[in-house]
Amino acid sequence: MKKFVRIGLKDILITLRDAPALAILLGMPMIIILILGSALGSLGSDSEMARIDVAIVNLDEGDIGKEIVEGITEGEELEELFDTQVLDDAEEAREGLERGNLAALLVIPEDFSDKINDSKPVKMNVFIDPGKEISASIFQNVVQSIAIRIASASVAVQTAKDVFVESKMVADERDFSRHMDKVVKEITADDALSAVDVLESNIEKERKITELDFYGTGMTIMFLLFGSMFGAFSLVKEREEKTLSRLLITPTSKTSIIGGKMLGIFFVGVVQFLVLFLFTVILGVHWGENLFGVFLLALGVLLAMTGLSVLFSSVAKNVRSVGAIAPLVVIVMALAGGSLFPVSTMPEWLQPIRYLTINGWALDGLSSLMKGAGTNSILPNFGALMAMFFAFFLLGVWRLGYEE
Amino acid sequence: MADNIVIIKDLIKKYSDFVAVDGINLEIQAGELFGLLGPNGAGKTTTISIISCLLKPASGDVFVGGYSVKKYPTKAKVLMGVVPQDIALYPTLTALENLNFWGRMYGLSGALLKERVEEALELAGLIERTKERVQNYSGGMKRRLNIAIGILHHPKVLLMDEPTVGIDPQSRNHILETVKRLNRAGTAIIYTSHYMEEVEILCDKVGIIDHGKIIAMGTADELKKLIGDEHAIIVQAENVDDDVIDALNQLRYVDCVNYHEDEIEVLSKHGGRVLSKVVSVLNQADVHINSIDIKEPNLEAVFLHLTGKSLRD
């Protein structure tokens, strides 16, 4: 086995025997996630943040338009998903959409009911915000589903009318319309319910992020970064306890020594991540379907954390200074990067600050994965984490070299 | 030349304006036990650090087994074992885990590693506590393990930098015995110390170092001849103050007085004649005398003669 692997394994053994380190790396995050999870978990399912803002402008004076509006605004499942405004002015609604207040807008045209009753072609217009494509497509699907039902009902009504009138089962067309109104009402009311079927498959595409998901992942990332403190401890202790000098007088290259030390820090991080990942999954945290993406981001975070360890060890002269500097940096990154509260709650001008942190890039990627994004969409996040690793590592090595 | 395992040539090491090693030249033969004697700060550890490739010299070079430490440090390192002055161990690992780890860093593995680890444990007298964490060991046990690590790979030359600092007499004796045993087995040893007794007992050849320079070199007997007949009167006493030391210093024939931890050391070429005067001064000052001893000329006196100061200064 290569010497650097031996150095890494030795460091894992030392960390596993370090009770305070284990308490901070594993015990603390587990307790915090458990407490936050049980306190906030029950709020998760009805979260406001998942409702999609839509608007309907109903210009139709007939019953069918009215039924569609009621179906969307009063159906229990749809009400939960859409925050629907019913507006009178189509222009005003369009402006709302352009301002980004709405994900989608449905305009039901004038004479909509009359045209359906007369079996004439008719169109409902759905306008969407391209920036909210996924949310908008859910609404679009609902409307489409309603339209299909109306169209098939309309064909059925027309056919029935012809048959009924010809066979004299009804007195005339007016008499038929009176009977059929009831039928049409029921069909359109039913549309809303059947639309829910379409909807549910869409919900999977953009799953809601619950508080448990948020804190489970946020805390895991934050405590992975605490690994950098123990990594720097390990590097500084090796210097303080003179074992580094002793390593340097053995026929072992400097590259093997620094490589082995980093491997040990990384290994400990991998163990920590796997334990916390399993723990949060058992608690019900949803990391998304794309596990490869999750592990890729975790790899990025652990590498960046390893680089940060080297940087800390080069800045801090002894274990005490590491103990002062590292937690400060980790907590500031957690605050700015969205581990402690959602970045969206910060003032808009301050939000980009998260891109200076490991947490920011990691959580941004993880939240995309939770919403069903593919691996390609998190590659920039992984790239940014790798860039941080190289930057921290090279800066640390440069500083260490400068001291010598 | 062929028998020289270590050759030091015109070695210089500077830290800004301070010259730590100032043009040292030395040749140490295979199987030789060489003592480097000097006070703290004389340049012993810096010299050892350069030989062991930990520090780079400002100029000059060191050859170990013919390999320049500047050009072929890895080859030179394989031939050397180093026992650093500071205890350099992993406290939360056991003795066995420490030895296995360091053995692997010297390229040992498998059955050979196991054999060498057992041998080192036996030599260090730690065979019964191999699975105990080093943090629970006494200072002496840690020192012994510190030495055991240095000899795992059977080096041709062992550099021992003050290996007995701060330990109990029992462990010290064990370490001195170990050094003799290793040397008898053919290992050349460079032994640094500021305890002249150790160097005098152990070493075939002694170099006296001060301010980064070797100021005298030879066997202990050769060095002692430099000063003729300097005796040391050692008094174990209580209630000694500065006035007493001054009074002793002013006695005729007294060359130097050292006082350290209830022990007064009076150096004089006329030991017998001075003894009664020393006792009389101490009695007048109401000093309580526990014991008195006269020692033959020693390296301490040589050092004093050469530098005008004590090894313990």
mmCIF file of all heavy atoms in Angstrom, chain A residues 205-248:
data_model
loop_
_atom_site.group_PDB
_atom_site.id
_atom_site.type_symbol
_atom_site.label_atom_id
_atom_site.label_comp_id
_atom_site.label_asym_id
_atom_site.label_seq_id
_atom_site.Cartn_x
_atom_site.Cartn_y
_atom_site.Cartn_z
ATOM 1 N N LYS A 205 -42.482 16.262 -10.695
ATOM 2 C CA LYS A 205 -41.431 16.993 -11.407
ATOM 3 C C LYS A 205 -40.885 18.126 -10.554
ATOM 4 O O LYS A 205 -39.709 18.371 -10.491
ATOM 5 C CB LYS A 205 -41.981 17.571 -12.710
ATOM 6 C CG LYS A 205 -41.860 16.620 -13.868
ATOM 7 C CD LYS A 205 -42.157 17.360 -15.132
ATOM 8 C CE LYS A 205 -42.470 16.384 -16.257
ATOM 9 N NZ LYS A 205 -43.205 17.050 -17.330
ATOM 10 N N GLU A 206 -41.733 18.843 -9.893
ATOM 11 C CA GLU A 206 -41.255 19.913 -9.031
ATOM 12 C C GLU A 206 -41.782 19.680 -7.635
ATOM 13 O O GLU A 206 -42.804 20.203 -7.236
ATOM 14 C CB GLU A 206 -41.688 21.286 -9.550
ATOM 15 C CG GLU A 206 -41.062 22.371 -8.709
ATOM 16 C CD GLU A 206 -41.138 23.725 -9.379
ATOM 17 O OE1 GLU A 206 -41.401 23.785 -10.587
ATOM 18 O OE2 GLU A 206 -40.921 24.722 -8.698
ATOM 19 N N ARG A 207 -41.011 18.853 -6.925
ATOM 20 C CA ARG A 207 -41.459 18.489 -5.594
ATOM 21 C C ARG A 207 -41.264 19.676 -4.663
ATOM 22 O O ARG A 207 -40.337 20.466 -4.808
ATOM 23 C CB ARG A 207 -40.611 17.308 -5.098
ATOM 24 C CG ARG A 207 -41.205 16.629 -3.901
ATOM 25 C CD ARG A 207 -40.246 15.589 -3.395
ATOM 26 N NE ARG A 207 -40.758 14.996 -2.173
ATOM 27 C CZ ARG A 207 -40.655 15.564 -0.993
ATOM 28 N NH1 ARG A 207 -40.078 16.726 -0.877
ATOM 29 N NH2 ARG A 207 -41.149 14.968 0.067
ATOM 30 N N LYS A 208 -42.151 19.763 -3.691
ATOM 31 C CA LYS A 208 -42.017 20.842 -2.723
ATOM 32 C C LYS A 208 -40.845 20.547 -1.786
ATOM 33 O O LYS A 208 -40.641 19.414 -1.397
ATOM 34 C CB LYS A 208 -43.302 20.949 -1.900
ATOM 35 C CG LYS A 208 -44.431 21.579 -2.668
ATOM 36 C CD LYS A 208 -45.661 21.676 -1.819
ATOM 37 C CE LYS A 208 -46.415 20.367 -1.811
ATOM 38 N NZ LYS A 208 -47.680 20.448 -1.079
ATOM 39 N N ILE A 209 -40.077 21.580 -1.434
ATOM 40 C CA ILE A 209 -38.983 21.396 -0.476
ATOM 41 C C ILE A 209 -39.529 21.735 0.909
ATOM 42 O O ILE A 209 -39.924 22.867 1.166
ATOM 43 C CB ILE A 209 -37.793 22.300 -0.825
ATOM 44 C CG1 ILE A 209 -37.263 21.912 -2.206
ATOM 45 C CG2 ILE A 209 -36.702 22.179 0.223
ATOM 46 C CD1 ILE A 209 -36.214 22.857 -2.743
ATOM 47 N N THR A 210 -39.560 20.731 1.764
ATOM 48 C CA THR A 210 -40.101 20.974 3.102
ATOM 49 C C THR A 210 -39.005 21.543 4.003
ATOM 50 O O THR A 210 -37.826 21.524 3.656
ATOM 51 C CB THR A 210 -40.605 19.665 3.728
ATOM 52 O OG1 THR A 210 -39.485 18.817 3.927
ATOM 53 C CG2 THR A 210 -41.622 18.975 2.836
ATOM 54 N N GLU A 211 -39.427 22.019 5.176
ATOM 55 C CA GLU A 211 -38.453 22.529 6.145
ATOM 56 C C GLU A 211 -37.473 21.440 6.554
ATOM 57 O O GLU A 211 -36.297 21.683 6.778
ATOM 58 C CB GLU A 211 -39.164 23.088 7.380
ATOM 59 C CG GLU A 211 -39.691 24.497 7.208
ATOM 60 C CD GLU A 211 -41.020 24.531 6.486
ATOM 61 O OE1 GLU A 211 -41.469 23.467 6.006
ATOM 62 O OE2 GLU A 211 -41.617 25.615 6.387
ATOM 63 N N LEU A 212 -37.989 20.220 6.653
ATOM 64 C CA LEU A 212 -37.116 19.102 7.034
ATOM 65 C C LEU A 212 -36.030 18.885 5.972
ATOM 66 O O LEU A 212 -34.858 18.707 6.292
ATOM 67 C CB LEU A 212 -37.951 17.820 7.222
ATOM 68 C CG LEU A 212 -37.157 16.585 7.654
ATOM 69 C CD1 LEU A 212 -36.527 16.791 9.018
ATOM 70 C CD2 LEU A 212 -38.046 15.353 7.664
ATOM 71 N N ASP A 213 -36.465 18.940 4.692
ATOM 72 C CA ASP A 213 -35.486 18.809 3.602
ATOM 73 C C ASP A 213 -34.442 19.915 3.707
ATOM 74 O O ASP A 213 -33.244 19.698 3.583
ATOM 75 C CB ASP A 213 -36.168 18.940 2.228
ATOM 76 C CG ASP A 213 -37.140 17.804 1.955
ATOM 77 O OD1 ASP A 213 -36.997 16.755 2.611
ATOM 78 O OD2 ASP A 213 -38.030 17.978 1.106
ATOM 79 N N PHE A 214 -34.954 21.138 3.921
ATOM 80 C CA PHE A 214 -34.078 22.304 3.952
ATOM 81 C C PHE A 214 -33.026 22.185 5.061
ATOM 82 O O PHE A 214 -31.823 22.331 4.817
ATOM 83 C CB PHE A 214 -34.919 23.580 4.146
ATOM 84 C CG PHE A 214 -34.080 24.796 4.321
ATOM 85 C CD1 PHE A 214 -33.495 25.406 3.225
ATOM 86 C CD2 PHE A 214 -33.830 25.305 5.588
ATOM 87 C CE1 PHE A 214 -32.688 26.512 3.394
ATOM 88 C CE2 PHE A 214 -33.022 26.400 5.763
ATOM 89 C CZ PHE A 214 -32.444 27.014 4.658
ATOM 90 N N TYR A 215 -33.493 21.898 6.279
ATOM 91 C CA TYR A 215 -32.535 21.842 7.395
ATOM 92 C C TYR A 215 -31.687 20.570 7.355
ATOM 93 O O TYR A 215 -30.514 20.595 7.737
ATOM 94 C CB TYR A 215 -33.266 21.989 8.738
ATOM 95 C CG TYR A 215 -33.604 23.409 9.014
ATOM 96 C CD1 TYR A 215 -34.916 23.855 8.967
ATOM 97 C CD2 TYR A 215 -32.598 24.336 9.280
ATOM 98 C CE1 TYR A 215 -35.232 25.184 9.190
ATOM 99 C CE2 TYR A 215 -32.905 25.669 9.494
ATOM 100 C CZ TYR A 215 -34.220 26.094 9.449
ATOM 101 O OH TYR A 215 -34.512 27.406 9.658
ATOM 102 N N GLY A 216 -32.271 19.473 6.906
ATOM 103 C CA GLY A 216 -31.519 18.216 6.808
ATOM 104 C C GLY A 216 -30.296 18.387 5.913
ATOM 105 O O GLY A 216 -29.171 18.038 6.277
ATOM 106 N N THR A 217 -30.525 18.979 4.735
ATOM 107 C CA THR A 217 -29.406 19.143 3.797
ATOM 108 C C THR A 217 -28.497 20.300 4.240
ATOM 109 O O THR A 217 -27.280 20.186 4.196
ATOM 110 C CB THR A 217 -29.926 19.423 2.376
ATOM 111 O OG1 THR A 217 -30.854 20.506 2.446
ATOM 112 C CG2 THR A 217 -30.613 18.213 1.794
ATOM 113 N N GLY A 218 -29.111 21.395 4.689
ATOM 114 C CA GLY A 218 -28.339 22.574 5.093
ATOM 115 C C GLY A 218 -27.392 22.273 6.238
ATOM 116 O O GLY A 218 -26.218 22.644 6.210
ATOM 117 N N MET A 219 -27.909 21.557 7.243
ATOM 118 C CA MET A 219 -27.074 21.221 8.404
ATOM 119 C C MET A 219 -25.975 20.221 8.018
ATOM 120 O O MET A 219 -24.856 20.294 8.507
ATOM 121 C CB MET A 219 -27.933 20.608 9.523
ATOM 122 C CG MET A 219 -28.791 21.604 10.231
ATOM 123 S SD MET A 219 -27.777 22.784 11.137
ATOM 124 C CE MET A 219 -28.456 24.303 10.517
ATOM 125 N N THR A 220 -26.345 19.274 7.152
ATOM 126 C CA THR A 220 -25.334 18.292 6.724
ATOM 127 C C THR A 220 -24.157 19.014 6.066
ATOM 128 O O THR A 220 -23.002 18.768 6.408
ATOM 129 C CB THR A 220 -25.945 17.262 5.744
ATOM 130 O OG1 THR A 220 -27.008 16.601 6.421
ATOM 131 C CG2 THR A 220 -24.921 16.248 5.288
ATOM 132 N N ILE A 221 -24.461 19.941 5.157
ATOM 133 C CA ILE A 221 -23.378 20.662 4.470
ATOM 134 C C ILE A 221 -22.575 21.491 5.475
ATOM 135 O O ILE A 221 -21.350 21.506 5.466
ATOM 136 C CB ILE A 221 -23.942 21.579 3.354
ATOM 137 C CG1 ILE A 221 -24.685 20.753 2.303
ATOM 138 C CG2 ILE A 221 -22.821 22.399 2.705
ATOM 139 C CD1 ILE A 221 -23.881 19.694 1.604
ATOM 140 N N MET A 222 -23.291 22.170 6.387
ATOM 141 C CA MET A 222 -22.576 23.018 7.354
ATOM 142 C C MET A 222 -21.625 22.174 8.211
ATOM 143 O O MET A 222 -20.477 22.548 8.428
ATOM 144 C CB MET A 222 -23.572 23.744 8.251
ATOM 145 C CG MET A 222 -22.904 24.640 9.261
ATOM 146 S SD MET A 222 -24.077 25.642 10.165
ATOM 147 C CE MET A 222 -23.999 24.891 11.763
ATOM 148 N N PHE A 223 -22.110 21.024 8.677
ATOM 149 C CA PHE A 223 -21.259 20.220 9.556
ATOM 150 C C PHE A 223 -20.165 19.479 8.793
ATOM 151 O O PHE A 223 -19.127 19.151 9.364
ATOM 152 C CB PHE A 223 -22.110 19.286 10.423
ATOM 153 C CG PHE A 223 -22.649 20.004 11.637
ATOM 154 C CD1 PHE A 223 -23.878 20.637 11.598
ATOM 155 C CD2 PHE A 223 -21.889 20.110 12.789
ATOM 156 C CE1 PHE A 223 -24.351 21.346 12.690
ATOM 157 C CE2 PHE A 223 -22.347 20.811 13.885
ATOM 158 C CZ PHE A 223 -23.589 21.429 13.845
ATOM 159 N N LEU A 224 -20.381 19.249 7.495
ATOM 160 C CA LEU A 224 -19.267 18.704 6.689
ATOM 161 C C LEU A 224 -18.130 19.728 6.692
ATOM 162 O O LEU A 224 -16.961 19.374 6.733
ATOM 163 C CB LEU A 224 -19.702 18.444 5.247
ATOM 164 C CG LEU A 224 -20.562 17.212 4.967
ATOM 165 C CD1 LEU A 224 -20.773 17.071 3.457
ATOM 166 C CD2 LEU A 224 -19.938 15.946 5.515
ATOM 167 N N LEU A 225 -18.508 21.014 6.674
ATOM 168 C CA LEU A 225 -17.471 22.051 6.650
ATOM 169 C C LEU A 225 -16.738 22.162 7.989
ATOM 170 O O LEU A 225 -15.603 22.601 8.040
ATOM 171 C CB LEU A 225 -18.070 23.397 6.244
ATOM 172 C CG LEU A 225 -18.605 23.442 4.817
ATOM 173 C CD1 LEU A 225 -18.981 24.851 4.437
ATOM 174 C CD2 LEU A 225 -17.585 22.910 3.823
ATOM 175 N N PHE A 226 -17.411 21.750 9.075
ATOM 176 C CA PHE A 226 -16.695 21.713 10.351
ATOM 177 C C PHE A 226 -15.545 20.707 10.292
ATOM 178 O O PHE A 226 -14.608 20.770 11.078
ATOM 179 C CB PHE A 226 -17.643 21.370 11.505
ATOM 180 C CG PHE A 226 -18.235 22.594 12.139
ATOM 181 C CD1 PHE A 226 -19.570 22.914 11.953
ATOM 182 C CD2 PHE A 226 -17.446 23.449 12.896
ATOM 183 C CE1 PHE A 226 -20.111 24.057 12.505
ATOM 184 C CE2 PHE A 226 -17.983 24.595 13.457
ATOM 185 C CZ PHE A 226 -19.319 24.904 13.265
ATOM 186 N N GLY A 227 -15.639 19.779 9.341
ATOM 187 C CA GLY A 227 -14.538 18.837 9.118
ATOM 188 C C GLY A 227 -13.241 19.572 8.832
ATOM 189 O O GLY A 227 -12.155 19.091 9.164
ATOM 190 N N SER A 228 -13.350 20.763 8.210
ATOM 191 C CA SER A 228 -12.127 21.506 7.872
ATOM 192 C C SER A 228 -11.387 21.947 9.131
ATOM 193 O O SER A 228 -10.176 22.080 9.134
ATOM 194 C CB SER A 228 -12.468 22.719 7.003
ATOM 195 O OG SER A 228 -13.251 23.620 7.748
ATOM 196 N N MET A 229 -12.165 22.174 10.222
ATOM 197 C CA MET A 229 -11.513 22.576 11.469
ATOM 198 C C MET A 229 -10.667 21.411 12.000
ATOM 199 O O MET A 229 -9.505 21.598 12.367
ATOM 200 C CB MET A 229 -12.571 22.968 12.504
ATOM 201 C CG MET A 229 -11.980 23.335 13.840
ATOM 202 S SD MET A 229 -13.177 24.088 14.943
ATOM 203 C CE MET A 229 -14.061 22.663 15.530
ATOM 204 N N PHE A 230 -11.250 20.219 11.973
ATOM 205 C CA PHE A 230 -10.506 19.070 12.497
ATOM 206 C C PHE A 230 -9.375 18.682 11.541
ATOM 207 O O PHE A 230 -8.338 18.189 11.968
ATOM 208 C CB PHE A 230 -11.461 17.908 12.781
ATOM 209 C CG PHE A 230 -12.378 18.224 13.922
ATOM 210 C CD1 PHE A 230 -13.648 18.715 13.694
ATOM 211 C CD2 PHE A 230 -11.934 18.112 15.225
ATOM 212 C CE1 PHE A 230 -14.477 19.063 14.749
ATOM 213 C CE2 PHE A 230 -12.749 18.465 16.288
ATOM 214 C CZ PHE A 230 -14.024 18.936 16.051
ATOM 215 N N GLY A 231 -9.607 18.925 10.252
ATOM 216 C CA GLY A 231 -8.542 18.691 9.284
ATOM 217 C C GLY A 231 -7.347 19.598 9.569
ATOM 218 O O GLY A 231 -6.194 19.162 9.592
ATOM 219 N N ALA A 232 -7.657 20.878 9.828
ATOM 220 C CA ALA A 232 -6.581 21.829 10.134
ATOM 221 C C ALA A 232 -5.925 21.484 11.471
ATOM 222 O O ALA A 232 -4.706 21.576 11.614
ATOM 223 C CB ALA A 232 -7.129 23.254 10.163
ATOM 224 N N PHE A 233 -6.751 21.037 12.441
ATOM 225 C CA PHE A 233 -6.184 20.565 13.717
ATOM 226 C C PHE A 233 -5.137 19.491 13.444
ATOM 227 O O PHE A 233 -4.035 19.519 13.972
ATOM 228 C CB PHE A 233 -7.271 19.921 14.600
ATOM 229 C CG PHE A 233 -8.081 20.895 15.403
ATOM 230 C CD1 PHE A 233 -9.318 20.543 15.911
ATOM 231 C CD2 PHE A 233 -7.593 22.173 15.683
ATOM 232 C CE1 PHE A 233 -10.076 21.438 16.658
ATOM 233 C CE2 PHE A 233 -8.344 23.071 16.431
ATOM 234 C CZ PHE A 233 -9.592 22.696 16.915
ATOM 235 N N SER A 234 -5.537 18.531 12.613
ATOM 236 C CA SER A 234 -4.661 17.393 12.329
ATOM 237 C C SER A 234 -3.345 17.854 11.710
ATOM 238 O O SER A 234 -2.270 17.379 12.072
ATOM 239 C CB SER A 234 -5.410 16.420 11.417
ATOM 240 O OG SER A 234 -4.529 15.565 10.771
ATOM 241 N N LEU A 235 -3.447 18.818 10.784
ATOM 242 C CA LEU A 235 -2.229 19.333 10.133
ATOM 243 C C LEU A 235 -1.360 20.115 11.121
ATOM 244 O O LEU A 235 -0.147 19.947 11.170
ATOM 245 C CB LEU A 235 -2.612 20.234 8.951
ATOM 246 C CG LEU A 235 -3.152 19.505 7.717
ATOM 247 C CD1 LEU A 235 -3.953 20.455 6.836
ATOM 248 C CD2 LEU A 235 -2.009 18.913 6.903
ATOM 249 N N VAL A 236 -2.006 20.966 11.927
ATOM 250 C CA VAL A 236 -1.248 21.808 12.862
ATOM 251 C C VAL A 236 -0.645 20.958 13.986
ATOM 252 O O VAL A 236 0.492 21.176 14.401
ATOM 253 C CB VAL A 236 -2.157 22.928 13.427
ATOM 254 C CG1 VAL A 236 -1.474 23.663 14.558
ATOM 255 C CG2 VAL A 236 -2.518 23.910 12.323
ATOM 256 N N LYS A 237 -1.424 19.977 14.465
ATOM 257 C CA LYS A 237 -0.915 19.099 15.535
ATOM 258 C C LYS A 237 0.305 18.324 15.068
ATOM 259 O O LYS A 237 1.247 18.113 15.812
ATOM 260 C CB LYS A 237 -1.994 18.094 15.952
ATOM 261 C CG LYS A 237 -2.852 18.566 17.098
ATOM 262 C CD LYS A 237 -3.713 17.399 17.540
ATOM 263 C CE LYS A 237 -4.822 17.832 18.457
ATOM 264 N NZ LYS A 237 -5.816 16.786 18.614
ATOM 265 N N GLU A 238 0.263 17.888 13.826
ATOM 266 C CA GLU A 238 1.390 17.130 13.282
ATOM 267 C C GLU A 238 2.656 17.997 13.362
ATOM 268 O O GLU A 238 3.748 17.507 13.605
ATOM 269 C CB GLU A 238 1.088 16.734 11.845
ATOM 270 C CG GLU A 238 1.933 15.622 11.291
ATOM 271 C CD GLU A 238 1.294 14.240 11.373
ATOM 272 O OE1 GLU A 238 0.185 14.029 10.863
ATOM 273 O OE2 GLU A 238 1.934 13.349 11.938
ATOM 274 N N ARG A 239 2.455 19.325 13.173
ATOM 275 C CA ARG A 239 3.583 20.240 13.254
ATOM 276 C C ARG A 239 3.971 20.478 14.716
ATOM 277 O O ARG A 239 5.135 20.387 15.079
ATOM 278 C CB ARG A 239 3.172 21.563 12.583
ATOM 279 C CG ARG A 239 4.306 22.430 12.138
ATOM 280 C CD ARG A 239 3.838 23.448 11.107
ATOM 281 N NE ARG A 239 2.767 24.305 11.606
ATOM 282 C CZ ARG A 239 1.906 24.949 10.818
ATOM 283 N NH1 ARG A 239 1.973 24.816 9.518
ATOM 284 N NH2 ARG A 239 0.981 25.721 11.327
ATOM 285 N N GLU A 240 2.944 20.752 15.547
ATOM 286 C CA GLU A 240 3.201 21.069 16.961
ATOM 287 C C GLU A 240 3.805 19.895 17.720
ATOM 288 O O GLU A 240 4.650 20.070 18.586
ATOM 289 C CB GLU A 240 1.894 21.475 17.651
ATOM 290 C CG GLU A 240 1.518 22.912 17.434
ATOM 291 C CD GLU A 240 0.352 23.339 18.316
ATOM 292 O OE1 GLU A 240 -0.377 22.487 18.861
ATOM 293 O OE2 GLU A 240 0.172 24.537 18.450
ATOM 294 N N GLU A 241 3.312 18.701 17.428
ATOM 295 C CA GLU A 241 3.781 17.534 18.178
ATOM 296 C C GLU A 241 5.027 16.913 17.552
ATOM 297 O O GLU A 241 5.431 15.818 17.919
ATOM 298 C CB GLU A 241 2.641 16.514 18.301
ATOM 299 C CG GLU A 241 1.540 17.027 19.221
ATOM 300 C CD GLU A 241 0.290 16.160 19.225
ATOM 301 O OE1 GLU A 241 0.262 15.137 18.518
ATOM 302 O OE2 GLU A 241 -0.655 16.524 19.946
ATOM 303 N N LYS A 242 5.607 17.602 16.589
ATOM 304 C CA LYS A 242 6.906 17.248 15.987
ATOM 305 C C LYS A 242 6.873 15.970 15.150
ATOM 306 O O LYS A 242 7.919 15.493 14.725
ATOM 307 C CB LYS A 242 8.005 17.116 17.056
ATOM 308 C CG LYS A 242 8.094 18.298 18.001
ATOM 309 C CD LYS A 242 8.622 19.514 17.301
ATOM 310 C CE LYS A 242 8.697 20.691 18.262
ATOM 311 N NZ LYS A 242 9.019 21.933 17.581
ATOM 312 N N THR A 243 5.670 15.411 14.960
ATOM 313 C CA THR A 243 5.619 14.205 14.121
ATOM 314 C C THR A 243 5.812 14.571 12.651
ATOM 315 O O THR A 243 6.244 13.735 11.862
ATOM 316 C CB THR A 243 4.296 13.459 14.318
ATOM 317 O OG1 THR A 243 3.238 14.402 14.332
ATOM 318 C CG2 THR A 243 4.292 12.674 15.618
ATOM 319 N N LEU A 244 5.515 15.843 12.297
ATOM 320 C CA LEU A 244 5.758 16.261 10.917
ATOM 321 C C LEU A 244 7.261 16.250 10.623
ATOM 322 O O LEU A 244 7.697 15.729 9.591
ATOM 323 C CB LEU A 244 5.175 17.658 10.660
ATOM 324 C CG LEU A 244 5.380 18.199 9.252
ATOM 325 C CD1 LEU A 244 4.684 17.315 8.225
ATOM 326 C CD2 LEU A 244 4.883 19.623 9.120
ATOM 327 N N SER A 245 8.048 16.791 11.572
ATOM 328 C CA SER A 245 9.510 16.754 11.393
ATOM 329 C C SER A 245 9.974 15.312 11.267
ATOM 330 O O SER A 245 10.830 14.992 10.449
ATOM 331 C CB SER A 245 10.216 17.375 12.592
ATOM 332 O OG SER A 245 9.831 18.709 12.717
ATOM 333 N N ARG A 246 9.387 14.453 12.097
ATOM 334 C CA ARG A 246 9.811 13.058 12.073
ATOM 335 C C ARG A 246 9.447 12.415 10.737
ATOM 336 O O ARG A 246 10.223 11.611 10.199
ATOM 337 C CB ARG A 246 9.167 12.295 13.235
ATOM 338 C CG ARG A 246 9.720 10.911 13.371
ATOM 339 C CD ARG A 246 9.473 10.290 14.730
ATOM 340 N NE ARG A 246 10.630 9.498 15.074
ATOM 341 C CZ ARG A 246 10.895 9.033 16.281
ATOM 342 N NH1 ARG A 246 10.106 9.283 17.282
ATOM 343 N NH2 ARG A 246 11.968 8.307 16.494
ATOM 344 N N LEU A 247 8.252 12.771 10.205
ATOM 345 C CA LEU A 247 7.869 12.236 8.891
ATOM 346 C C LEU A 247 8.846 12.714 7.822
ATOM 347 O O LEU A 247 9.211 11.966 6.914
ATOM 348 C CB LEU A 247 6.459 12.710 8.522
ATOM 349 C CG LEU A 247 5.299 11.869 9.047
ATOM 350 C CD1 LEU A 247 3.974 12.590 8.816
ATOM 351 C CD2 LEU A 247 5.260 10.504 8.375
ATOM 352 N N LEU A 248 9.269 13.978 7.959
ATOM 353 C CA LEU A 248 10.150 14.551 6.938
ATOM 354 C C LEU A 248 11.547 13.930 6.949
ATOM 355 O O LEU A 248 12.256 14.015 5.953
ATOM 356 C CB LEU A 248 10.258 16.073 7.130
ATOM 357 C CG LEU A 248 9.002 16.866 6.738
ATOM 358 C CD1 LEU A 248 9.095 18.302 7.220
ATOM 359 C CD2 LEU A 248 8.781 16.838 5.228
#
